[in-house]
Amino acid sequence: MDELRPYRAMACNNLWANHRLLSACALLSPDEFVAKRTGFFPSLRATLNHILIIDRFYIDAMEGGRLGPAAWADREPCATLPALQAAQEAMDRRLIAVVEAAGGAGLARVVEVHRGARIQRERLDRLLLHLFQHQVHHRGQAHAMLSGTMVAPPQLDEFFSAGEASLRADEFAALGLTEAMVWGEDESRP
């Protein structure tokens, strides 16, 4: 069995879900993107930037970096949606690379997370699950905020059902993903 399969699928789903959500947000005016909304963070821009900076914090640690709390020194590093889309896609691709590099015993590797005054030591698999949960949680909040606009929020709760591959084929092509890549399967198999 491919022990990376669920982590790879979650990382790819993260890329796809962020692409869908940010593409929907691109239909908003700049004023709607920053408008005050009900949520843990006060706007779509603030919520989506939070996802980005926490991704940056954890992914840097997973890559062996020491960025630590400097990751959130600027709470909204991307003032515009195009900047946020580019930064989030780059971060999502780094996360996929972290997962792909974790073959063998890599999921049990201990990651040092620099938290300023202390260093947290955590297994990579546990950090990945934590990060996926964080992303899903805050994308849900952004989804709810988007539902208060004229833009219909995209469906984000599907998880790559085999029978619905055709429904995401265009988005997968735009992202350079394939079903075989997501599931770690040989491209030549049916």
Side-chain angles (χ1 to χ4, degrees):
M1 171 161 166
D2 177 4
E3 68 178 9
L4 295 181
R5 179 178 286 180
Y7 300 95
R8 180 186 307 108
M10 285 297 295
C12 290
N13 185 266
N14 182 64
L15 170 67
W16 178 67
N18 283 331
H19 172 79
R20 291 191 110 197
L21 182 59
L22 292 168
S23 293
C25 288
L27 301 174
L28 298 170
S29 71
D31 287 341
E32 290 175 304
F33 185 56
V34 299
K36 185 168 177 58
R37 303 203 183 274
T38 301
F40 190 80
F41 295 96
S43 68
L44 278 160
R45 183 177 75 183
T47 302
L48 296 168
N49 267 281
H50 174 74
I51 293 170
L52 175 68
I53 64 175
I54 299 306
D55 282 359
R56 188 176 291 156
F57 172 74
Y58 281 110
I59 294 167
D60 173 76
M62 291 175 197
E63 293 170 334
R66 298 181 174 279
L67 179 62
W72 52 80
D74 182 353
R75 299 285 180 166
E76 292 188 35
C78 296
T80 67
L81 186 65
L84 183 59
Q85 285 174 300
Q88 186 64 60
E89 182 174 338
M91 197 59 51
D92 294 341
R93 292 189 185 282
R94 283 174 61 186
L95 181 57
I96 292 168
V98 164
V99 170
E100 290 299 343
L107 289 171
R109 172 176 63 89
V110 174
V111 175
E112 291 187 348
V113 182
H114 294 263
R115 295 195 169 274
R118 69 181 178 89
I119 294 177
Q120 172 188 350
R121 290 174 177 79
E122 198 73 61
R123 284 174 50 122
L124 177 60
D125 54 0
R126 292 177 70 130
L127 279 178
L128 286 168
L129 293 172
H130 172 79
L131 186 57
F132 295 142
Q133 178 64 30
H134 180 267
Q135 294 159 340
V136 168
H137 171 71
H138 287 296
R139 271 197 305 268
Q141 292 173 335
H143 190 271
M145 288 179 181
L146 192 57
S147 69
T149 72
M150 296 300 288
V151 175
Q155 186 166 354
L156 299 178
D157 64 342
E158 294 296 323
F159 196 82
F160 299 155
S161 299
E164 296 179 347
S166 63
L167 301 177
R168 61 182 170 272
D170 289 343
E171 291 166 318
F172 266 35
L175 294 168
L177 292 176
T178 66
E179 297 293 324
M181 184 185 304
V182 168
W183 298 109
E185 298 169 347
D186 183 344
E187 294 271 347
S188 64
R189 290 195 311 202

